[in-house]
Amino acid sequence: MKLVRWMTVVTLLAAPLGAATGAAANESPARGSAYAVQSNGSVAAQDWQGNTDTEGENEGGSGGETVADGSGADGGGSALDGTNPDGVNPDTFTTDELLMRTDSAEMVLNGLAFQSVQPLVDKDGVLYAPLKTLAASYGYKIGYNKTTKESTAVLGNKELRFKSGSAVAVSNGEKVMGAAPAYTLKGSLMVPVATWAMLTGSVLHDADGEVRLQWTTRPIAAFTVSPKEIFAGQTMVDYRDRASHPRGLPIINEEWTGRESIFLFPGEYTITRRVQDVYGIWSEPYSVTIKVLQPNMPPVADFTTDKSVYRIGEPIVYTDRSTDDGNDIRKRTWKGKEPAFFEPGEKTITLQVEDGGGLKSEKSVTVYITDEVMYTREEFGLRFTPVGEKYAISGGAVLDIPTVPYTFRSQKAQMVRSNSPETWVEEGIAYEDRLKGEVRFLFHNLNQIGRPVKMYLIATNPNRTSAKVGIKAFGMGGPIKYVSTSGRLSTARYLESLAADAEPVWTSLKPGESKVIMNDLNKVPIKPGQVFSAYGDVVTDKEIQFRIVLLDPSKDPLTEMDTLKIMPRDGLHVRGTFYDADRELVITEPLGYEPKRIVLGDRKMDTYLYGLDSTTGRPEHNLGNFGVLYRMKVEVAPNTVVALNARGGHYTGAFLINGQVVKVTNDSILRNANEAAVLYRTGPFAETLDIVFTLASGSNLPVTMMFLPIS
């Protein structure tokens, strides 16, 4: 840094638009002089001896003569004499300095030469420098507002804005008339050096083609206030230090105005901070305005039951009447709340509510259950369990329900199942085949490679003419660590997409060209220990080679695919191409007039598909018939519950019934044969149900669909 002892540092204030007069508003200062902008907006010229002509009398002065040693005619000291308001020691304080020469891109910042993006330009008697260079020299960050077409320079809480073709600059929202219009040169915004000096409080010297900018670099007193919501007399306010120094100097002191740990009264408050660096330079004030809210009162927990005495299995109606002064109840926690009770005696139900400020309230209500039975647990569940929820049943009794005989008609649908190896242990090609027309893909895998990977579906056109590939229905679950959740989500989302019946999104392929398709597959890396499941429907107009590629996210699948090897099968799970993969179950009798059940995925009535692993030529069975799309239309009696019961272990998934997706279940799974999920409940009249489903990956088979009359 260069010590400047002979020059007065003038405090410069930018004049609002319309306030400037004389030379400040209409003229450029005389070349070959040093000049600064006074607080009234006028320009004062300094000769090389430091004498100042202010175009008139100084306030309270006799001509405004100032000499280099600080003993001016008015007896005042200079900014460097150790008595200035910042308390700067002249033996230690250094001033930042930028040297420039006309028509040269070489500039010197504090003794270090560098190349500017554009040279210093003399245009019509006005000196221009690139905003980018000026801002970087001072520590400002550059930006651009596309809406207003303004370039911005920001340092701390100070923002300057410039616009090409305009002489008006903006300093913290206030318009200021500059020396001349800014303009664009070879992609760089050029601003008048005099305007920049005025806005930044710099001293500007211009003589013999050499221009010198000098300024004091101040620390920045930034800070943040939290939390967002502050309540009078309650909230402990946290102040986070964000102070900095453009030159990296230590900050040794601070002053606060308006800072409180707790604000006692509501209203708006402005908190202001200044900080001081090791040279004694104080920052500009940095202010944050906060709004202190009325004191937060605790919420009031309140609820009622429709009665105080109930029979066993009698439905209980709960009415939540909880309130909060800010209508901000964020959490409700119930204890002991049941839709009905199945043991006699006193039962206590408790509700706790919590508002956004963390205040809580609690209320308890006690009801009495008599010995009289209204409904057993299973009867109650059959009548009142919401669709998409589950209820308890006797798993052994399900086997006593007669089965419904059915036949099925297969459709010539193609399906690719990529499930072996189910656990990935290396990169490579999971499966490949050449296919034409409509194809359903099923993916279900666990990443145990030890690092994140992405899965890609790559389509290659082997034909001599262009081809098209379209993506139709799609649904995925994960990546997630829970296998059953990934299966439920992918099945539900696929059925929702299927019901939407949107037009395919097409991709064109030139002869020999390869592209990644079905890009949702590779949106998010699959981390170690995560499961990923997906269904996707593809349609082509020509035969296309499909490859399922597993790769490190940093690698390009199109570049790497020809070097990758086919992954070996794991010997347990299924991969292959299968045909006749859509099945219509044909049921001729109406259901629900007496208990009946349909068994799915049992390998007996619902026989498994045959197919081929195209990578090995090996015949393949589609064990479990995962990926097969089932459809059935059944006539169902009035007052009938359609429910799903898991017979092979846990099960979760989704069904599409009369165009509505029903999850199994909304927030849980069927854990064993003693639970059933309600899929549908008919009203007082018979109904025809159109049911579409696919058995969810990650679940166990078989499952039983029950049709149970409500007596």
Side-chain angles (χ1 to χ4, degrees), residues 307-598:
K307 296 165 60 176
S308 59
V309 178
Y310 296 88
R311 293 168 287 177
I312 289 175
E314 184 174 359
I316 300 175
V317 178
Y318 298 89
T319 303
D320 186 350
R321 296 180 176 176
S322 302
T323 58
D324 180 63
D325 61 328
N327 195 27
D328 189 30
I329 295 178
R330 301 284 181 89
K331 186 177 181 182
R332 288 173 165 83
T333 304
W334 291 88
K335 293 181 181 179
K337 181 185 179 184
E338 299 291 342
F341 291 96
F342 299 95
E343 302 86 18
E346 287 188 344
K347 307 294 179 182
T348 299
I349 306 103
T350 301
L351 170 63
Q352 183 187 82
V353 294
E354 181 178 344
D355 69 10
L359 300 182
K360 300 177 182 179
S361 174
E362 188 174 281
K363 180 180 179 178
S364 296
V365 171
T366 298
V367 297
Y368 184 77
I369 312 301
T370 68
D371 293 334
E372 185 180 356
V373 177
M374 184 174 187
Y375 297 114
T376 66
R377 189 183 297 272
E378 189 165 334
E379 290 171 339
F380 182 90
L382 196 65
R383 285 168 171 78
F384 300 108
T385 301
V387 170
E389 302 296 338
K390 63 182 180 179
Y391 67 98
I393 63 171
S394 170
V398 172
L399 298 178
D400 296 330
I401 299 175
T403 59
V404 177
Y406 64 83
T407 59
F408 59 79
R409 290 191 288 262
S410 296
Q411 298 179 9
K412 299 296 181 182
Q414 302 173 102
M415 188 269 291
V416 169
R417 180 175 173 185
S418 181
N419 186 216
S420 182
E422 184 171 82
T423 300
W424 293 322
V425 294
E426 61 181 341
E427 295 180 356
I429 298 174
Y431 191 69
E432 66 176 356
D433 200 356
R434 291 193 176 196
L435 300 164
K436 178 184 177 182
E438 295 191 358
V439 186
R440 182 180 313 115
F441 284 86
L442 166 61
F443 312 88
H444 182 72
N445 302 93
L446 166 67
N447 179 16
Q448 291 289 23
I449 294 179
R451 63 181 183 278
V453 291
K454 283 188 174 183
M455 182 169 63
Y456 303 88
L457 180 60
I458 299 175
T460 301
N461 179 12
N463 304 282
R464 295 183 178 180
T465 57
S466 295
K468 292 196 306 180
V469 180
I471 306 299
K472 299 178 71 176
F474 178 82
M476 70 180 194
I480 196 170
K481 65 178 181 178
Y482 301 109
V483 61
S484 55
T485 302
S486 70
R488 179 178 74 238
L489 290 175
S490 62
T491 305
R493 291 166 179 169
Y494 172 71
L495 292 175
E496 287 171 353
S497 180
L498 198 68
D501 195 25
E503 289 296 317
V505 178
W506 293 97
T507 298
S508 297
L509 294 170
K510 298 175 183 177
E513 184 179 20
S514 297
K515 287 185 180 179
V516 175
I517 62 170
M518 209 177 285
N519 284 298
D520 285 337
L521 291 175
N522 53 272
K523 240 179 202 179
V524 180
I526 305 166
K527 297 178 182 178
Q530 288 187 329
V531 178
F532 184 80
S533 296
Y535 300 85
D537 289 348
V538 172
V539 59
T540 77
D541 64 345
K542 291 183 176 67
E543 184 178 79
I544 297 295
Q545 181 182 11
F546 293 100
R547 275 176 278 200
I548 302 168
V549 172
L550 188 71
L551 205 58
D552 185 286
S554 65
K555 298 178 182 178
D556 183 353
L558 297 179
T559 302
E560 300 283 340
M561 64 180 179
D562 290 330
T563 66
L564 298 175
K565 297 180 180 179
I566 302 291
M567 295 181 183
R569 301 167 57 91
D570 61 18
L572 296 173
H573 300 92
V574 176
R575 78 175 178 200
T577 304
F578 301 90
Y579 301 91
D580 302 331
D582 285 6
R583 285 189 172 178
E584 180 186 357
L585 302 187
V586 180
I587 299 169
T588 57
E589 63 178 286
L591 302 176
Y593 291 99
E594 58 181 331
K596 290 288 183 74
R597 64 189 176 104
I598 299 173

